[in-house]
Amino acid sequence: MKKLCLGTIGVLAMLFLIASISLLVARVLQNLVDARVKKEVVLKNGTESFQAWEDPPPPVYMQFVSTLLLRPNLCLPFGREHRPRVDIHFLDNDTEVSSFNPTTFNFVPEMSVGDPEVDRIRTVNVPAVTAMNMATGTPLRFPTQIMLMLFQENMFITHTVSEWLWGYDDKFLSTVHKFRPSIPPKFGFFYQKNGTDDGEYVMRSGEKNYMDFTRIVKWRGKETVNFWSTPYANMINGTDGTSFHPLLSTDEVLYVFVSDFCRSIYMHFQKYTTVEGIPAYRFSPTSMLFANATVNPDNIGFCVPAGHCLGAGLLNVSACRQGAPIFLSSPHFYMCAEKYVKAIDGMHPNARDHETFLDINPLTGILMRAAKRIQINVFVKKLPDFDLTGNIRQLFFPVVYVNESVILDKASADKLKLMLLEASVVTSIPYVVMTIGIIFGVIFVVLTCRPFRTREEVRLQLELSFPLAFHLTMIVILESKLEIQKDLWQQSQGYDSGIGLA
């Protein structure tokens, strides 16, 4: 009977050890978790993914910061965005979803400085500069000059913060509007963007392939844009930046279509980090994104007109801004050519305050924290046909920069933590099985290698050895798992968890 018990214990020890090793090597339980995540992360009525996509719970804030002239570096109003999906339709056997995404901004006075209806900012007269640039060297030069003189336009004008952002009545534009109704009678950097959408999006639902989750297929009814000079530059790639496919890896390149940029951008893995104690991968653009075409030949298509290439870091978006000489960059010309930084006093570019980034949970693809930082620049230069330009030197004049930020709310974070805990418990089962196998192995060794003892002595020996073996085994397993976690998260140590709004 004793030999039968010993044999049974030995066999069980071997079976448990073999089973645990097989589960770990074959990643059986990890694959089960991955399969469940792939099934859940799909745009389908009733799923949590669809609910979060339809009406994102984390609050999105828009911060505006003036750059120059009157009130430089003034922290302008904070606005909270509400961005629900509306007019949703499932297409092509539920493999695609169409929707509109109207954005509403609500002023948040407790987070803002001053009163946007009272505070005044002096900066470039964009409508006048646009008109002069378009009329130079054309028969419209003389009528444009007469109109500018008639309305007493100046190169720099003063308006309230609210007017600069959401629009003010412009006499020159109002006159032009009578002859060309497509040109609005008002001007504001975000005119007609409050309570409106940027067009219809058609996205993959992820039903066929989880890698296609929320990948944009069409925007405004087209599969490409037509603002740029090459097919590559006009491609619409990736998602809209609010959601991503699950099971991310650090080797991936994430593509995001940004309608503000009128183009797709890409981001590379930067580092491991955490948000609310939850692991995340940080992705951010590299210097190659807006590099000069001589450094990155793919960017030749963003030289508009064709062949007119800028220095690193600037993007000419005049083609999708009704011809206005608007150029986008990172705030304070971060990652731009040094000549642009030196041309303007007060520029202090740094990654903490001016970098765009995405922090994404790799298992679920949930966006946990992000910051989209854009600087609006106006190109000014002396125009011989127009005395209004005076002796101004040629430069890219920074007007305002925008910091659009989001961080996962506590309720969503708690729900995600529970989901990750469940996944961790399932994937830890092989280690539990291994622990049981080691315990049986220790008992087997103790009973077979010790000299003959009385039944009472054996019982006491087992009572002492069992907890000791269990604790030693758990210590070994926990140490091994901690080593793995240490390798994964050592880069995030010392990270400043704040978004760094400036």
Side-chain angles (χ1 to χ4, degrees), residues 366-413:
I366 292 176
L367 182 65
M368 304 178 63
R369 177 173 52 205
K372 184 175 75 174
R373 291 153 173 169
I374 306 172
Q375 180 170 286
I376 299 173
N377 310 285
V378 178
F379 179 64
V380 295
K381 65 178 180 179
K382 178 179 174 57
L383 298 173
D385 291 341
F386 294 94
D387 296 334
L388 191 63
T389 58
N391 291 318
I392 192 169
R393 60 191 175 96
Q394 179 174 308
L395 54 79
F396 294 92
F397 192 94
V399 178
V400 65
Y401 80 74
V402 182
N403 187 353
E404 190 176 11
S405 59
V406 61
I407 187 167
L408 197 67
D409 60 289
K410 190 177 186 306
S412 299

Side-chain angles (χ1 to χ4, degrees), residues 412-443:
S412 299
D414 291 340
K415 186 181 295 185
L416 180 56
K417 284 179 181 178
L418 181 60
M419 184 189 306
L420 296 176
L421 177 61
E422 292 175 355
S424 179
V425 169
V426 172
T427 54
S428 296
I429 289 177
Y431 295 100
V432 175
V433 175
M434 182 182 291
T435 300
I436 296 173
I438 293 174
I439 291 172
F440 275 119
V442 171
I443 293 173

Side-chain angles (χ1 to χ4, degrees), residues 489-500:
W489 307 116
Q490 60 182 352
Q491 296 187 43
S492 66
Q493 296 302 309
Y495 171 73
D496 179 7
S497 61
I499 291 181

Side-chain angles (χ1 to χ4, degrees), residues 27-39:
R27 300 181 79 250
V28 174
L29 297 176
Q30 184 64 57
N31 290 336
L32 287 175
V33 171
D34 293 349
R36 181 185 173 187
V37 171
K38 292 176 186 178
K39 184 179 179 180

Side-chain angles (χ1 to χ4, degrees), residues 160-208:
T160 66
V161 171
S162 182
E163 289 173 333
W164 275 119
L165 295 178
W166 310 118
Y168 61 87
D169 291 313
D170 186 271
K171 294 180 181 179
F172 179 84
L173 288 179
S174 297
T175 303
V176 175
H177 176 71
K178 295 176 182 178
F179 301 97
R180 292 189 62 182
S182 60
I183 297 178
K186 293 186 175 184
F187 175 80
F189 290 108
F190 295 90
Y191 176 59
Q192 293 183 330
K193 288 185 178 294
N194 194 0
T196 61
D197 60 76
D198 59 350
E200 182 187 37
Y201 286 85
V202 178
M203 303 177 175
R204 299 286 189 195
S205 66
E207 182 73 34
K208 286 186 177 180

